[in-house]
Every structure is written in structure tokens, then in C-alpha cells.
DNA sequence: ATAGGCGCCTGCTGGC
DNA sequence: TGCCAGCAGGCGCCTA
């Protein structure tokens, strides 16, 4: 579910509620999350304090004291919330941390269990390296030249490159489609055929789309929520995503959906021509 | 070596 | 009205 803007929204919500607080207790459901085989869940997290909460791509990093890091990923349907401890436990709540006062809990809820929570004794940067391939830069830090070089180095479609977290971190299916529309590039264009100017245009489009989405607290389609009922608003500004058959907001031509890189891909065949 | 497909899960929806 | 196939914002692994 959540891509960079949704994860950023969750982190901004959680940061003031978690930074400085002690994880007193840990309760784990018997269901496995995405990556427990990489590193067994370590209840030794109890007694450690969250001193810093950050986002990197779609990953959430909680730096602990005196040492260690919790690395969290929301997968498709993951949700993190700080709630009063006497609130009833929702079904599919897989991890629950008692917070220092004992009156509140941090709960991880994830029906599809594609999300993960992993503990590492290392600092955040090294901990992230243990659970995923090296992430590319945040989209704001990606230079047009680096992006163009990454495009020239592959025969994949440009959309597949946008989804590749080792090229740039944080873009998923929604924002790939929206960014390609913004840049007026066909998603199936061979990445190595992009000119330097087109690569630069696309990088700027990604940043513009993500900035607007973050300002709207992300997109809520079915399940994305943050805090107590908070919902994103960017779904109301989608240009192509999930608008198959509806008129393009720019030219009126019907939006088309194809299958690309294993994902449903939406674009306007008029505004995003297949050729240069 | 690269790139595409599948598997992992549950829940919702649209078409019959 | 009800059922069920298909699809959904994720990523890692396997294979061709």
C-alpha cells in the first residue's frame, strides 16, 4: 500500500508520539510477518528507548538507546498506531509495544502480512543494509545525470526503473504512473532511449508529484490511514491511476490500462506517446 | 547477468 | 441475491 508519501505521513504523525519513549513490553502474534527468517524477532527490544524516528524510501527506522534499530515496512496493508492500551485489539494486530507510561501502546496491524518489523543491534544505516539491497537516493537527492546514467544502463521499460528501489527510493505503482503522466512519457518507453532532457524532466516530475502527495498526506484508496482516522487526500488528484476509461484531465482522451513490470499501469495514450 | 514471473496473504469488488 | 475469480499501494526469490 504505502509508498513514500504515505510512509512520510505516518512518520510525521508518529515522530512526536514516539521519540523519547521507552518500549517497555513487546507482544507478538503467532503469525509470521514478511521477513522473520532473516533475523529472529528479538524481545530484547523491551527496555530500549526510541531516540529518533526516520524514513528512508518506504522504510521506517527507529533508532534505539542504548543501542539497536527497529526497521519497519508497511508492505501493502500495514498500519502503525499509538493507541490507549485499553482499546480493543483489532484483528490482524501482529506486534504491540507497551509504551513507558503503560497507558498507551504502539501497535502494528497488517491483514496481508506483507509488512515487516525487524530488530537489529546495529545503527539504522547498517540495520537497513541487513534487510534490503542498498537503496538509491531519495528522489529529491537524485541528480538528473545519475538518473540518466541508470536509465542508459538497462533495457527495461522506464516504469520498471522508477519502481526499482536501488535506483531511487520510495516510488511505487501509484506515483510511478502519476509521475510518468506529469513528465508526458510513455511507461513502456525503453529506459535507455530517454534523452538527458527527458530523464531530467522525469526526475523533476517525480519530485513534484511526491511533494504534492505529501502535502495531501498521501493517498487513501482502501486501507491507508494514519493516526486516529486520518486519511490521505491525493487520490482526489490522480490524473491516471485507477482512472481507466475516464477522460484524461488534460486532453480528454480515455485513460488506458496495460500490464507492465507485473503491475497494472495507467497512462494517457495521447499525452504520453509511445515514441520520442 | 538481467528481467520477468511467481509467491506470499487477506479482503473487497465486479461480473455472472 | 450469492458466489467466486481476479485484483490490490509491497518485495524477495527463482528461472529462463
Amino acid at each position: 500500500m504505502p509508498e513514500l508519501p504515505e510512509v512520510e505521513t505516518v512518520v510525521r504523525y508518529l515522530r512526536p508520539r514516539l521519540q523519547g519513549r521507552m518500549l517497555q513490553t513487546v507482544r507478538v502474534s503467532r503469525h509470521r510477518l514478511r521477513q522473520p527468517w532473516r533475523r529472529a524477532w528479538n524481545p530484547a527490544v523491551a527496555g530500549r528507548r526510541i531516540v529518533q524516528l526516520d524514513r528512508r524510501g518506504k522504510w521506517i527506522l527507529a533508532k534505539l538507546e542504548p543501542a539497536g534499530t527497529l526497521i519497519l515496512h508497511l508492505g501493502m496493508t500495514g498500519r502503525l498506531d499509538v493507541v490507549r492500551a485499553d482499546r480493543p485489539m483489532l484483528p490482524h494486530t501482529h506486534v504491540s509495544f507497551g509504551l513507558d507510561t503503560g497507558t498507551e501502546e504502539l501497535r502494528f496491524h497488517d491483514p496481508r502480512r506483507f509488512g515487516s518489523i525487524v530488530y537489529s543491534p546495529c545503527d539504522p544505516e547498517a540495520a537497513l543494509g541487513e534487510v534490503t539491497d542498498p537503496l538509491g537516493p531519495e528522489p529529491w537527492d537524485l541528480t538528473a545525470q545519475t538518473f540518466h546514467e541508470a536509465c542508459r544502463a538497462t533495457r527495461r521499460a522506464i516504469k520498471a526503473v522508477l519502481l526499482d528501489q536501488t535506483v531511487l527510493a520510495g516510488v511505487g505503482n501509484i506515483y510511478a504512473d502519476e509521475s510518468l503522466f506529469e513528465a508526458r512519457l510513455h511507461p513502456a518507453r525503453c529506459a535507455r532511449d530517454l534523452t538527458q532532457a527527458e530523464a531530467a524532466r522525469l526526475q523533476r516530475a517525480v519530485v513534484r508529484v511526491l511533494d504534492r502527495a505529501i502535502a495531501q498526506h498521501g493517498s487513501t484508496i482502501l486501507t491507508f490511514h494514519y493516526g486516529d482516522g486520518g486519511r490521505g487526500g491525493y487520490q482526489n488528484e490522480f490524473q491516471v491511476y485507477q482512472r481507466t476509461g475516464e477522460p484524461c484531465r488534460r486532453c480528454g482522451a480515455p485513460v488506458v490500462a496495460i500490464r507492465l513490470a507485473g503491475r497494472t499501469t495507467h497512462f494517457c495514450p495521447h499525452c504520453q506517446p509511445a515514441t520520442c
Side-chain angles (χ1 to χ4, degrees):
Chain A
M1 160 267 300
E3 306 179 29
L4 189 155
E6 291 76 34
V7 179
E8 178 66 21
T9 298
V10 168
V11 167
R12 288 183 185 184
Y13 170 80
L14 289 177
R15 192 176 279 134
R17 289 165 175 81
L18 288 181
Q19 274 186 178
R21 301 192 73 176
M22 181 82 81
L23 302 172
Q24 288 284 17
T25 58
V26 187
R27 271 191 295 167
V28 183
S29 83
R30 65 180 187 284
H31 294 289
R32 291 151 52 108
L33 292 171
R34 180 110 184 88
Q35 301 193 339
W37 55 89
R38 282 183 178 272
R39 182 176 287 278
W41 232 91
N42 193 339
V45 183
R48 293 174 200 258
R49 189 180 297 279
I50 297 176
V51 290
Q52 202 176 322
L53 197 71
D54 287 311
R55 178 192 59 73
R56 181 75 174 87
K58 302 173 196 173
W59 295 86
I60 299 171
L61 301 169
K63 181 177 164 58
L64 306 178
E65 265 184 9
T69 304
L70 272 182
I71 311 133
L72 306 97
H73 198 292
L74 300 179
M76 294 276 263
T77 53
R79 187 169 157 183
L80 279 169
D81 216 348
V82 176
V83 299
R84 289 181 49 92
D86 57 11
R87 279 265 203 103
M89 199 75 77
L90 287 172
H92 308 295
T93 300
H94 300 297
V95 185
S96 176
F97 300 91
L99 297 171
D100 44 14
T101 59
T103 60
E104 287 189 320
E105 291 180 348
L106 170 65
R107 293 180 183 171
F108 181 72
H109 168 264
D110 185 9
R112 287 179 73 180
R113 283 188 275 140
F114 289 176
S116 62
I117 304 184
V118 175
Y119 168 77
S120 164
C122 304
D123 63 34
E125 192 182 332
L128 190 57
E130 291 178 347
V131 298
T132 187
D133 290 337
L135 294 179
E138 293 287 307
W140 296 268
D141 300 330
L142 177 67
T143 67
Q145 186 181 346
T146 304
F147 185 44
H148 189 224
E149 284 165 10
C151 289
R152 296 203 45 91
T154 180
R155 299 183 173 281
R156 296 142 89 199
I158 184 58
K159 171 158 178 181
V161 176
L162 282 182
L163 293 174
D164 185 340
Q165 303 298 299
T166 69
V167 174
L168 72 167
V171 173
N173 204 35
I174 294 176
Y175 299 105
D177 285 2
E178 293 295 312
S179 299
L180 286 161
F181 176 83
E182 174 94 5
R184 303 197 193 202
L185 292 172
H186 193 287
R189 276 278 300 279
C190 184
R192 66 168 28 180
D193 294 342
L194 261 64
T195 65
Q196 171 104 37
E198 286 172 329
R201 200 165 84 220
L202 182 53
Q203 186 272 339
R204 287 195 304 271
V206 169
V207 165
R208 273 201 303 273
V209 165
L210 294 179
D211 279 338
R212 290 201 294 262
I214 289 170
Q216 297 279 320
H217 309 292
S219 307
T220 294
I221 297 176
L222 288 173
T223 60
F224 174 66
H225 294 268
Y226 64 95
D228 202 0
R231 310 177 111 249
Y234 195 68
Q235 67 280 3
N236 300 317
E237 296 183 26
F238 286 165
Q239 302 295 303
V240 288
Y241 186 79
Q242 284 195 340
R243 295 194 64 245
T244 309
E246 294 177 39
C248 170
R249 299 192 201 280
R250 187 186 277 151
C251 77
V255 170
V256 165
I258 59 171
R259 197 84 180 165
L260 188 61
R263 319 295 296 277
T264 301
T265 299
H266 313 76
F267 67 100
C268 170
H270 181 254
C271 294
Q272 298 165 265
T275 53
C276 303

